[in-house]
Amino acid sequence: RFGGDPRVVGQSLTLNGHGYTVVGVMPAGFAGPKFTGGDFEQAELWAPFAPDLGQWTRDGRSVDAAIARLKPGVTLEQAQAEMDAIAAQLREQHPDTNAGAGAAVASLHEQAVGGIRPALLTFLAAVGLVLLIACANVANLLLARAAARQKEMAVRMALGAGRLRIVRQLLTESVLLASLGGAAGLLLALWATNLLAALGSGAIPRPDEIGLDSRVLLFTLGVSLLTGVAFGLAPALAASRPNLHEMLKEGGRCQTGGAGRKRLRSFLVVSEVALSLLLLVGAGLLVKSFVRLQQVNPGFDPRNVLTMYAFLPGARYPEEWQHADFFEKVLERARQLPGVEAAGVVSNLPVSGNFDRIGLYVEGHEAAGREDIPDPERYMVDAGYFKAMRIPLLGGRAFGPQDTAEAPPVVIVNEGLARRFWPEGGALGKRIRTDPSRPWMTVVGVVGEVRHYGLETAPTMQLYLPHRQVPSQVMTLVVRCAGDPAALAAAVREQVWAVDKDQPVYNVRTMEQLLGESLAQRRFTMLLVAVFAGAALLLAAVGLYGVMSYAVAQRTHEIGIRMALGAQRRDVLRIMLGQGMSLTLAGVCLGLAAAAGLTRVLASLLYGVSATDPSVYAGVTLILTAVAFLASSIPARKATRVDPVIALRYE
C-alpha cells in the first residue's frame, strides 16, 4: 500500500471515517491466531481497543475473546479459578448486566489447532500403517533373498566368517536400503508438502508453514535406521543359520529355509492384508460419511448465490436509520441488474462461522430463572433475503415494505422455535421479545430450519428481525442470479459504490464456495486417508504377488513331479490359488476384527455412518479379496505352464 516506504511511521490513515497515525510496522510473516471467538489470520492492521462502553452497555454486548499470557508456573486450572472469582465479584457488583455471565479459560494452542487434531492423528495413523505394510514387503523380499543366498552364506561360514559377522553384513545392507528409501522419500516430500498445503488450504491452520526442517530430517533418519534394523533383523538371523552340509553338497537343490521361514513369510503377508483392510475400512467410512454429509439439506439453495460483506463506518453513518437506508438503496440498484433474480441482506450468513445469540421471552411461557431463558440465534434480514436464499416460507408472510421503524415490531421464527413453544401450531400472532425492557414482537411468519453452524450440526431455534426495525451497520449482501454469480461480482460492487464511492466491500464469495469451505476439513481427511488406503491396497497386492511368485519358483520341482504323475493344470492352479487365498482370508479375518475395534476412534469424524457399517465392511472385503485373487492368479497360472521334463531337472 505504501510501496515499502521506510517513512511510513508517522503517516496518517482514515479508517471507517476515523483518523489514525501509523506508529509501527509488523513483520511480513506476522499473523494473529485463529481461535473460537476471533480470527486474526487475515488481519493487515491493528488499532487500539477502545470501545464505547456506554453503547456496549445499552446493546448488551460483551467481549467474546481475549488473549493473555500466563505467568510462569501458573496452570490453566489456577487461571480459571481466578477468573471465576473475578466473574463472581462482577455479578455481585452488577447484577443487572452480569447475571449468569462468566469466563472460560482455554489454551490458545488448543483453540487454534484442537479442531484439526483428530484429522491429523488419523492421517499419522494411516502413514504408520502404510509404512508397516511397506516394511513387511521389504522383509519378505529380504527373506527370499536370504534363501537364494544360503549357499553363499554357507561358503562364507565355511571359510571362517562368524554368525555375528554375517548378521552385521546383512543388517548393513538392509539399513543402506532403508536409508536410500528415506532419502528418496525426502525428495518426494519436497513436492508432496506443496500438494499437502494446497489440499489443506481452508482445512488446516497455517498450511503455508508446512515444510521440511531439521526436525523432519532427523525424524526421517531415525525412522529409516529403525525400519532397516527392525525388518532386516529376522532375514539376517535366518540367513546366518545355514545347513552347511546340505548347502555345500555338489548339485544340492536350493533350500526354501524350512517351515519356520515359510511361516514368517506367511505371517508377514497376513499382516499386510490385515493392515490394508483396516485402512480401507477407515477410508470407506470417511467416503460414505462425506457423501452422506453432501446429501444433507442445508435449508437453503446455495446455487447461483453471490455474497459480499459491508461494514458502515459510524463516523459517516452515525444514525441507525442511515444503516437501513444505505442497504435499501444498494438492494434497489442490485435488483435492477440483468440476470439478478432476487437480492437481500442478512446480519450473519449461514455456515460462515458467525452467529448472534440473544435471550428469548415468550408470552405465556415464563422462565423459572435466568439460566432457563432460551438463547436462539438472531438474524437481521430484509424483505428479499428469504427469496434470495430460497428458504421456504411455511406459514404466514415474509417481511414487506410495511415493516418500517414506525410500524409495530414483527418477527419471523423458524420451524424449530415454533415447534418448541407451540407444538400444536398457531405460532402466527403470538408475541415474543428479546429483553424484558423491549416491546413485544408479533410472529408474522414461520420459515424452514437452516443449518447455520454447518451441515453436520442440527439446526437450532432461529428468529429473524426486519432490518428496517432493527438496523445493523454490518450486513452481508446476498444476490441470486440466473448464471455464474462470480461474473456478477464487479457489477454488484459498482452498485455499492454508486451509493457511496468510499464504501468498501469484502469477502466476496459465492454461497457454494462458502459451503465448500465448511466441508474442507472433512474433504481433506477423506482424501488423505483414501490415498493411503489405495497405496496400502497396492502394496498388499504386490506383497502377495511376490510371495506367490517365490513359492512357484521354489516349488517348480514339486509341480513337475505332480504333473508327471498325472496332475492336471486345474489341479495345480487350485493348489497355488488355495495357498494365496488362504493367506488372504486369514488377513481379512484379522483385519475385520481389528477394524471393528479401532475404527471407533473415527466416530468423531463420521456423519450419518456407524463405525461398524456392514455395507462398508462387505464392500471393502470384496475389493481386497478380488485384488488378492488377481495378484495370486498371475503366479498360479505361471505354475500351470511348467514343463515336467524341465522341472524334474530344476535345481
Side-chain angles (χ1 to χ4, degrees):
R1 178 69 176 184
F2 294 94
D5 187 354
R7 297 167 298 177
V8 66
V9 174
Q11 292 194 33
S12 298
L13 291 176
T14 301
L15 304 173
N16 288 339
H18 294 279
Y20 290 83
T21 300
V22 179
V23 296
V25 180
M26 297 302 294
F30 178 80
K34 181 174 183 179
F35 60 93
T36 303
D39 183 0
F40 301 124
E41 285 189 307
Q42 305 301 322
E44 296 178 304
L45 53 87
W46 296 263
F49 180 67
D52 179 351
L53 295 181
Q55 177 68 31
W56 280 45
T57 302
R58 288 193 300 273
D59 289 355
R61 299 176 185 173
S62 63
V63 178
D64 289 330
I67 302 176
R69 183 174 294 279
L70 297 181
K71 292 179 180 179
V74 176
T75 65
L76 287 176
E77 290 74 20
Q78 291 172 319
Q80 181 66 66
E82 215 170 290
M83 293 303 298
D84 288 342
I86 294 173
Q89 183 181 358
L90 289 173
R91 288 195 295 269
E92 184 179 345
Q93 294 175 353
H94 308 281
D96 294 337
T97 57
N98 281 61
V105 178
S107 162
L108 179 60
H109 181 268
E110 184 67 25
Q111 292 280 301
V113 302
I116 192 65
R117 180 178 288 113
L120 293 183
L121 289 177
T122 302
F123 179 33
L124 181 62
V127 171
L129 291 176
V130 171
L131 177 62
L132 285 175
I133 294 169
C135 289
N137 256 344
V138 172
N140 247 328
L141 292 173
L142 291 176
L143 281 170
R145 189 164 178 257
R149 296 175 67 186
Q150 280 185 327
K151 194 165 186 176
E152 173 196 342
M153 295 302 132
V155 172
R156 288 177 181 272
M157 295 186 75
L159 294 176
R163 186 181 177 192
L164 181 61
R165 181 160 184 170
I166 297 294
V167 170
R168 190 167 64 242
Q169 176 188 333
L170 294 177
L171 275 181
T172 301
E173 293 176 4
S174 65
V175 168
L176 179 60
L177 286 173
S179 300
L180 290 174
L186 281 174
L187 292 175
L188 183 62
L190 290 173
W191 166 80
T193 48
N194 294 329
L195 179 62
L196 183 65
L199 286 174
S201 179
I204 54 178
R206 302 186 180 184
D208 54 307
E209 295 181 14
I210 297 175
L212 304 183
D213 56 17
S214 57
R215 292 172 298 176
V216 175
L217 295 176
L218 288 174
F219 178 77
T220 305
L221 176 63
V223 169
S224 299
L225 294 177
L226 181 63
T227 53
V229 172
F231 290 90
L233 187 60
L237 290 174
S240 66
R241 295 194 300 266
N243 187 325
L244 296 182
H245 178 69
E246 289 295 328
M247 286 295 99
L248 295 178
K249 282 196 306 184
E250 183 69 25
R253 283 187 292 273
C254 295
Q255 305 296 308
T256 62
R261 194 173 298 181
K262 289 179 181 177
R263 283 196 296 270
L264 180 57
R265 283 199 298 268
S266 298
F267 170 75
L268 290 173
V269 172
V270 169
S271 301
E272 284 184 64
V273 173
L275 293 174
S276 300
L277 183 69
L278 183 60
L279 259 179
L280 286 168
V281 167
L285 290 172
L286 289 173
V287 170
K288 186 170 182 178
S289 172
F290 189 74
V291 171
R292 285 276 177 89
L293 197 58
Q294 286 187 310
Q295 294 171 346
V296 171
N297 178 15
F300 59 89
D301 184 359
R303 296 170 296 179
N304 300 332
V305 175
L306 177 72
T307 70
M308 59 180 69
Y309 288 74
F311 181 94
L312 302 182
R316 186 184 292 269
Y317 299 92
E319 302 296 332
E320 289 188 341
W321 67 266
Q322 293 176 307
H323 305 159
D325 185 63
F326 172 84
F327 288 109
E328 284 294 328
K329 289 179 179 178
V330 171
L331 289 174
E332 185 179 351
R333 288 177 166 272
R335 287 166 184 152
Q336 295 174 2
L337 290 174
V340 172
E341 296 181 355
V345 290
V346 63
S347 53
N348 291 308
L349 270 176
V351 301
S352 64
N354 300 318
F355 59 91
D356 181 19
R357 287 189 173 274
I358 197 164
L360 177 65
Y361 300 83
V362 181
E363 191 176 33
H365 296 267
E366 301 301 327
R370 187 177 180 89
E371 63 278 359
D372 297 321
I373 298 174
D375 59 340
E377 302 164 21
R378 177 185 67 170
Y379 302 94
M380 278 71 79
V381 302
D382 82 312
Y385 173 70
F386 298 111
K387 184 178 179 182
M389 292 292 285
R390 291 183 178 170
I391 298 173
L393 182 66
L394 305 179
R397 66 174 179 86
F399 296 134
Q402 70 273 25
D403 299 315
T404 62
E406 295 77 22
V410 294
V411 63
I412 293 175
V413 300
N414 77 332
E415 187 181 9
L417 192 149
R419 187 169 53 246
R420 162 78 181 275
F421 293 101
W422 307 285
E424 302 300 325
L428 299 178
K430 297 297 191 294
R431 300 199 303 173
I432 63 176
R433 57 185 175 185
T434 57
D435 190 271
S437 62
R438 295 181 180 272
W440 290 102
M441 300 178 292
T442 303
V443 177
V444 296
V446 178
V447 296
E449 296 179 309
V450 174
R451 293 178 179 254
H452 274 271
Y453 296 101
L455 295 181
E456 69 274 16
T457 306
T460 60
M461 295 186 294
Q462 299 149 2
L463 57 88
Y464 299 87
L465 308 178
H467 185 239
R468 282 182 172 272
Q469 294 184 350
V470 189
S472 173
Q473 64 187 112
V474 184
M475 297 293 280
T476 303
L477 299 172
V478 179
V479 180
R480 175 172 294 280
C481 58
D484 180 14
L488 204 63
V492 176
R493 192 185 287 113
E494 289 291 339
Q495 305 314 308
V496 175
W497 292 338
V499 176
D500 184 347
K501 62 181 178 60
D502 296 322
Q503 174 59 44
V505 291
Y506 57 102
N507 280 357
V508 180
R509 291 174 293 182
T510 68
M511 202 63 217
E512 286 183 304
Q513 286 176 327
L514 198 60
L515 196 60
E517 290 171 9
S518 72
L519 297 173
Q521 184 174 318
R522 288 181 176 272
R523 184 185 297 109
F524 175 71
T525 307
M526 178 198 68
L527 284 175
L528 288 182
V529 174
V531 166
F532 279 93
L537 180 62
L538 179 63
L539 286 172
V542 169
L544 188 58
Y545 172 83
V547 167
M548 292 302 299
S549 294
Y550 181 72
V552 169
Q554 292 297 316
R555 297 178 68 179
T556 300
H557 190 77
E558 173 197 340
I559 293 170
I561 293 174
R562 287 178 180 275
M563 297 185 73
L565 294 175
Q568 301 298 312
R569 290 179 180 271
R570 61 176 178 275
D571 300 320
V572 174
L573 184 64
R574 184 174 61 252
I575 291 171
M576 301 309 296
L577 274 179
Q579 180 180 346
M581 295 313 295
S582 62
L583 295 177
T584 300
L585 292 177
V588 165
C589 293
L590 189 62
L592 287 175
L598 294 180
T599 50
R600 296 186 188 278
V601 302
L602 288 176
S604 62
L605 301 176
L606 301 179
Y607 176 84
V609 178
S610 167
T612 54
D613 187 283
S615 63
V616 172
Y617 279 64
V620 164
T621 302
L622 228 98
I623 292 172
L624 182 58
T625 305
V627 171
F629 180 83
L630 181 63
S632 301
S633 64
I634 298 174
R637 289 185 179 280
K638 181 181 177 182
T640 64
R641 294 192 292 269
V642 169
D643 187 335
V645 176
I646 298 176
L648 291 175
R649 296 200 305 266
Y650 182 75
E651 293 288 342

